[in-house]
Amino acid sequence: MHSNCRGASAINWTLICGDENAGLTVFWPDSGLDTGPILLQKSTKVAENDTVTSIYTRFLYPAGIEAMVEAVELIAAGKAPRIPQPEEGASYEPHITTKPILAQLDWNKNQSQMHNFIRGNDAIPGAWVILNGKKVMLFSSKRYKKKSLPRNAKEIAVMEAPGGKVYVHPYGLLLPTSDGKFVSSLLSRSVYSPKRSTHKMTKILFQCLQLFFDSSHLTSYLTSSSPFLLEEELFH
C-alpha cells in the first residue's frame, strides 16, 4: 500500500517486487513526499500476469474515481479520518520512466524476478534487454511452465544470456533465467489489439519472427503494415 513503494512509479515497483496486493491511497498532504495522514485506502489482489496497464484499467482507474467521490463526501460530512502512515517498512522507489536504465533486464534474475520485472514495466516504460548488441523491448511476460520447448522454437546464440542462447517461437521469445527456467515474452504489445483474433495474432508474430532468419526481406516487411518494430539483423 502507500507507505510501501512511495513515489511516482509505485505500481511499477509493486509488481517488480512481487507484492501480492496493490492499492491506492487518498491522503492529506503534509511537508513530506507521500507521507501525509491517510484518509482512505482501496486494494486489490495482484494476478499472476497482471501488468501496470491491466492493474490501471481493472482497478486503479475505476477505484480511483470511487475513492475521490468517497473522500469528498467524508470531508463534506466532517467524518474524514487522519490516520498516521506507518513508517516501518516504508520505502521510496525511483521514477522508472525518467531513468530508462532502470528498465534494463538483468540476466541474473530467476524466473519469478524476471517475470515480475518485465510485467512491472509493461507497458510504460517497457522493459528492455540487449540481444547481440541490439536493444529489444519486452512485453506480456509469462512464466514458461512446460518441460519441453515449443515445437517450432529456434535457438539463437546470445552471449549475454544464461547458457548463451535464447529461443524464438510462435509467441515471441523464451528468455533463460538464472535458475534454469524460462520466461516467455512478446516483442511488441500491439499484438494484443482486441480487433485481431488469436489466430491472426499468432500468424503475424510468427511471420515476423521468421524474418530474423532472412534479413533480405526484413526491410520490405517493416515498411508494410507490420505492427512490430524489430531491427534488421537483430540476431545475426
Side-chain angles (χ1 to χ4, degrees), residues 16-135:
I16 292 171
C17 293
D19 291 351
E20 295 182 355
N21 296 286
L24 63 86
T25 300
V26 178
F27 64 97
W28 300 91
D30 63 7
S31 59
L33 176 61
D34 293 349
T35 58
I38 296 169
L39 195 159
L40 64 82
Q41 292 181 311
K42 292 182 179 292
S43 65
T44 185
K45 287 287 186 182
V46 176
E48 179 179 353
N49 294 318
D50 260 334
T51 65
V52 176
T53 300
S54 69
I55 287 182
Y56 176 82
T57 303
R58 172 175 61 81
F59 169 72
L60 282 179
Y61 182 76
I65 294 175
E66 293 176 0
M68 291 302 296
V69 173
E70 291 177 25
V72 170
E73 291 176 344
L74 286 170
I75 293 172
K79 299 179 180 180
R82 293 175 179 263
I83 305 169
Q85 288 193 43
E87 288 302 317
E88 183 178 355
S91 63
Y92 286 97
E93 306 299 342
H95 190 191
I96 298 179
T97 56
T98 61
K99 298 180 179 179
I101 192 64
L102 294 176
Q104 181 178 10
L105 181 66
D106 179 359
W107 286 113
N108 293 317
K109 296 182 182 298
N110 63 34
Q111 187 188 52
S112 292
Q113 292 169 336
M114 186 178 292
H115 171 61
N116 290 337
F117 185 82
I118 295 173
R119 70 193 184 114
N121 284 285
D122 187 352
I124 297 174
W128 57 278
V129 66
I130 299 297
L131 297 182
N132 293 340
K134 299 291 184 177
K135 182 177 180 179

Side-chain angles (χ1 to χ4, degrees), residues 204-217:
I204 291 173
L205 180 56
F206 193 39
Q207 287 175 340
C208 187
L209 293 173
Q210 284 180 313
L211 291 173
F212 281 128
F213 304 96
D214 189 357
S215 61
S216 63
H217 296 295

